[in-house]
Amino acid sequence: MNNLKPVTQLRPRLMSMFAIENLPDFTPGMDLSAEIIAALDAQGESLQAFDILVIAHKAVSKCEGAVYQLEEIEPSSEAIKLAQAVNKDPRKVEVILRQSRRIVRHIKRPNQDEGIIIAEHKLGFICANAAVDESNADKPGQLITLPDDPDQSAQRLCSALETHYQVELGMVISDTFGRPWRMGQTNVAIGVANVPAIKSLFGEQDAWGRPLKVTAPAFADELAAASGLLMDKEAKCPVMVFRGLSWTRQHSHISQLIRPKQEDLFR
Amino acid sequence: MNNLKPVTQLRPRLMSMFAIENLPDFTPGMDLSAEIIAALDAQGESLQAFDILVIAHKAVSKCEGAVYQLEEIEPSSEAIKLAQAVNKDPRKVEVILRQSRRIVRHIKRPNQDEGIIIAEHKLGFICANAAVDESNADKPGQLITLPDDPDQSAQRLCSALETHYQVELGMVISDTFGRPWRMGQTNVAIGVANVPAIKSLFGEQDAWGRPLKVTAPAFADELAAASGLLMDKEAKCPVMVFRGLSWTRQHSHISQLIRPKQEDLFR
């Protein structure tokens, strides 16, 4: 027992999370890091060493122009066929297929107006509609996809903020996913910079000295899920700042959060 | 746009989370709420209106005596058979079966010493080993299960703390689950009191005035996942206090987080 005390005291046991207020509506070409700095300035805030930012991907996607206009999409015959099966707009299904490696499940139940497509996104995420979303698009007929390379987006944004504030920072880009088995949605990580995707506790011991064989907290997903506590969709607060957490800077990749297909019992 | 401003300002955009330090090792019969009060007192803290506590279930389970001794377990023939298939202790498998409605998957790969059992817990959770756990048991040969009725446990503990502090509180009891498709674990809710399990945004609108058809943040799971940011297993900090969140008191049930089997594409 006594030898645990110093460890406990080294670890911070208090964190705070706040929203960056009054960010603008984002449009293609906007400089997201400059907008974050301006909004923090207006809020009388700055970033401190080891702050972590969680950013809803839509802000990133819009600035990067990861946006499709429905009227510009020519659906393939595959998209038309799948669209009929689930009663979705074939142009939307075309974008879903372009964002996907493969369709994992699709179903339309008799009581559903529109069915469900669960896809494996080309980055490896398994989620509804390959993360293609109409919600919070700037206008009807607009579809938002994930950024092309969310890790690179996170790294770029994080570096710009680190340069401005001259402190080490971490970043997670998030999306809102449903889950098998459980109702409701949570935010999950779809891109990371500097923070561990997973905090591996392999080799460490539990409080009673036994090895913690399989404990590997999905740190980036914990951050993303926590961001949802203040990130109500209707309130336009896509950026949360976490302060007070203990973490070790590292080169991490969102692919570390993707379960390899051969180890997955549920796809 | 302008009509959104008052709504934004009504919602809190800052929260904090802290750990209750120096809680004792819990054993059957201990009064968990009294221990929480004593630890908060020692910390110079009290609870404030609308604080939410997230408690790792093991603290609750141990106090309630939801603990098995391996040497007292007589495995059934079904347990012996399944234990052979996955190379687990048949007495542990017996406890898993007693905690389960059914086994969803079981597998032992050639490179695994011990295989995997994914079970549907009798409360509806789908998780490894029906949430039966050796980690953080008080001694080898001890197995900890979920509390018998986690919602009731949460309600009882929450009421005791509300009576002491004379404020309205919320509570989530958590466990650590793996997920399909994604690596690493997150904490999820397995019991709730007073706080919404899911914050339904049906009928609300996104920032551009379109209905948010299917947005239903799993509030209790967001809280549980966030608790993992400070709840390192080796540090014996099973209770986190969230302060500053906006939520509406309600009668909630953990069953609201269980996806009905007929709506689930992945079991």
Side-chain angles (χ1 to χ4, degrees):
Chain A
M1 281 288 300
N2 287 333
N3 63 343
L4 286 170
K5 279 283 161 62
V7 176
T8 303
Q9 286 164 356
L10 282 173
R11 287 168 192 276
R13 295 289 170 206
L14 168 66
M15 59 148 261
S16 61
M17 173 175 81
F18 66 92
I20 300 183
E21 309 273 2
N22 297 313
L23 287 163
D25 298 343
F26 294 107
T27 51
M30 280 175 80
D31 182 339
L32 180 51
S33 57
E35 297 295 341
I36 287 172
I37 292 165
L40 281 167
D41 281 351
Q43 212 170 326
E45 273 287 354
S46 68
L47 297 180
Q48 300 178 5
F50 292 98
D51 282 355
I52 301 171
L53 283 78
V54 177
I55 305 187
H57 87 85
K58 281 172 198 166
V60 181
S61 295
K62 285 183 186 179
C63 290
E64 293 185 0
V67 173
Y68 284 88
Q69 303 300 330
L70 268 187
E71 71 265 22
E72 296 170 8
I73 303 293
E74 190 66 48
S76 63
S77 59
E78 187 188 358
I80 292 168
K81 192 177 161 195
L82 179 54
Q84 282 171 341
V86 293
N87 192 33
K88 285 184 189 286
D89 187 317
R91 299 166 301 177
K92 183 175 177 184
V93 174
E94 173 64 27
V95 177
I96 293 170
L97 289 173
R98 289 183 196 173
Q99 291 287 311
S100 301
R101 277 185 199 151
R102 68 187 183 98
I103 302 301
V104 178
R105 298 276 196 286
H106 70 89
I107 189 167
K108 184 186 161 309
R109 299 195 180 84
N111 63 340
Q112 287 175 319
D113 175 37
E114 197 175 307
I116 297 163
I117 295 174
I118 308 291
E120 183 176 328
H121 187 276
K122 56 192 178 183
L123 292 169
F125 313 117
I126 296 182
C127 58
N129 298 329
V132 175
D133 203 340
E134 293 165 310
S135 165
N136 281 314
D138 287 322
K139 49 185 181 181
Q142 203 176 53
L143 300 177
I144 303 173
T145 69
L146 294 189
D148 281 342
D149 185 340
D151 283 348
Q152 195 180 74
S153 302
Q155 196 61 64
R156 184 175 40 78
L157 287 165
C158 202
S159 295
L161 294 169
E162 287 184 317
T163 300
H164 181 84
Y165 291 104
Q166 288 292 300
V167 292
E168 294 194 27
L169 301 169
M171 188 172 287
V172 171
I173 299 177
S174 70
D175 194 10
T176 305
F177 283 9
R179 303 87 56 85
W181 312 334
R182 295 179 78 84
M183 299 294 281
Q185 294 104 39
T186 57
N187 289 350
V188 298
I190 60 100
V192 286
N194 301 347
V195 295
I198 293 183
K199 272 190 166 177
S200 179
L201 301 182
F202 288 87
E204 293 188 31
Q205 295 181 338
D206 74 9
W208 285 263
R210 284 187 299 275
L212 282 168
K213 274 187 287 192
V214 291
T215 304
F219 186 62
D221 281 338
E222 291 175 338
L223 289 161
S227 76
L229 291 166
L230 294 179
M231 203 189 271
D232 291 347
K233 278 201 176 184
E234 77 276 22
K236 295 192 185 183
C237 280
V239 188
M240 295 292 150
V241 179
F242 289 73
R243 185 162 292 166
L245 292 171
S246 172
W247 53 281
T248 305
R249 187 183 181 90
Q250 55 189 254
H251 285 290
S252 56
H253 302 281
I254 200 65
S255 59
Q256 293 164 321
L257 278 167
I258 308 288
R259 191 179 288 276
K261 188 174 179 183
Q262 64 275 19
E263 288 181 21
D264 202 327
L265 301 176
F266 297 97
R267 62 166 102 179
Chain B
M1 281 289 299
N2 287 333
N3 62 344
L4 287 170
K5 280 282 161 63
V7 176
T8 303
Q9 286 164 357
L10 282 173
R11 288 168 192 275
R13 295 288 170 208
L14 168 66
M15 59 148 261
S16 61
M17 174 174 82
F18 66 91
I20 301 182
E21 309 274 2
N22 298 313
L23 286 163
D25 297 343
F26 294 107
T27 51
M30 281 176 79
D31 182 340
L32 180 51
S33 56
E35 298 294 343
I36 287 172
I37 292 165
L40 281 167
D41 281 351
Q43 212 169 327
E45 273 287 353
S46 67
L47 296 180
Q48 301 179 6
F50 292 98
D51 281 354
I52 300 172
L53 283 79
V54 177
I55 305 188
H57 88 86
K58 280 171 199 166
V60 180
S61 296
K62 285 184 186 178
C63 290
E64 292 185 1
V67 173
Y68 284 88
Q69 303 300 331
L70 268 186
E71 70 266 22
E72 296 170 8
I73 302 293
E74 190 65 49
S76 63
S77 59
E78 186 188 358
I80 292 168
K81 193 177 160 194
L82 180 54
Q84 284 173 339
V86 292
N87 192 34
K88 284 183 189 286
D89 187 317
R91 299 167 300 176
K92 183 174 177 185
V93 174
E94 173 64 28
V95 177
I96 292 169
L97 289 173
R98 288 184 197 174
Q99 292 287 312
S100 302
R101 278 186 199 150
R102 69 189 182 95
I103 303 300
V104 178
R105 297 275 195 288
H106 69 90
I107 188 167
K108 183 184 161 313
R109 300 196 180 84
N111 62 339
Q112 287 176 318
D113 175 38
E114 198 175 306
I116 297 164
I117 295 175
I118 308 291
E120 184 176 329
H121 187 278
K122 56 192 177 182
L123 292 168
F125 312 116
I126 296 181
C127 57
N129 298 329
V132 175
D133 203 341
E134 293 165 311
S135 166
N136 282 313
D138 287 322
K139 49 184 181 180
Q142 202 176 52
L143 299 176
I144 304 173
T145 69
L146 294 189
D148 281 341
D149 184 341
D151 283 348
Q152 196 180 74
S153 302
Q155 194 62 64
R156 183 175 41 76
L157 287 165
C158 202
S159 295
L161 294 169
E162 287 184 318
T163 300
H164 181 84
Y165 291 105
Q166 289 292 299
V167 292
E168 295 194 27
L169 301 168
M171 188 172 288
V172 171
I173 299 177
S174 71
D175 194 9
T176 306
F177 283 8
R179 304 87 55 85
W181 311 337
R182 294 179 80 83
M183 298 295 281
Q185 294 104 39
T186 58
N187 289 350
V188 299
I190 61 100
V192 286
N194 302 348
V195 295
I198 292 183
K199 271 192 167 177
S200 178
L201 300 182
F202 287 88
E204 294 188 32
Q205 296 180 338
D206 74 9
W208 286 262
R210 283 187 301 274
L212 282 168
K213 274 188 287 192
V214 292
T215 304
F219 186 62
D221 281 338
E222 290 176 338
L223 288 161
S227 77
L229 291 167
L230 294 179
M231 202 187 272
D232 290 349
K233 278 199 178 184
E234 77 276 23
K236 295 193 186 184
C237 280
V239 188
M240 293 293 150
V241 180
F242 288 74
R243 185 162 291 167
L245 291 171
S246 172
W247 53 281
T248 305
R249 187 183 180 91
Q250 57 188 255
H251 285 289
S252 56
H253 302 282
I254 200 66
S255 59
Q256 293 165 320
L257 278 168
I258 309 288
R259 191 178 287 277
K261 188 175 178 183
Q262 65 274 18
E263 289 182 19
D264 202 327
L265 301 176
F266 297 96
R267 63 165 105 180

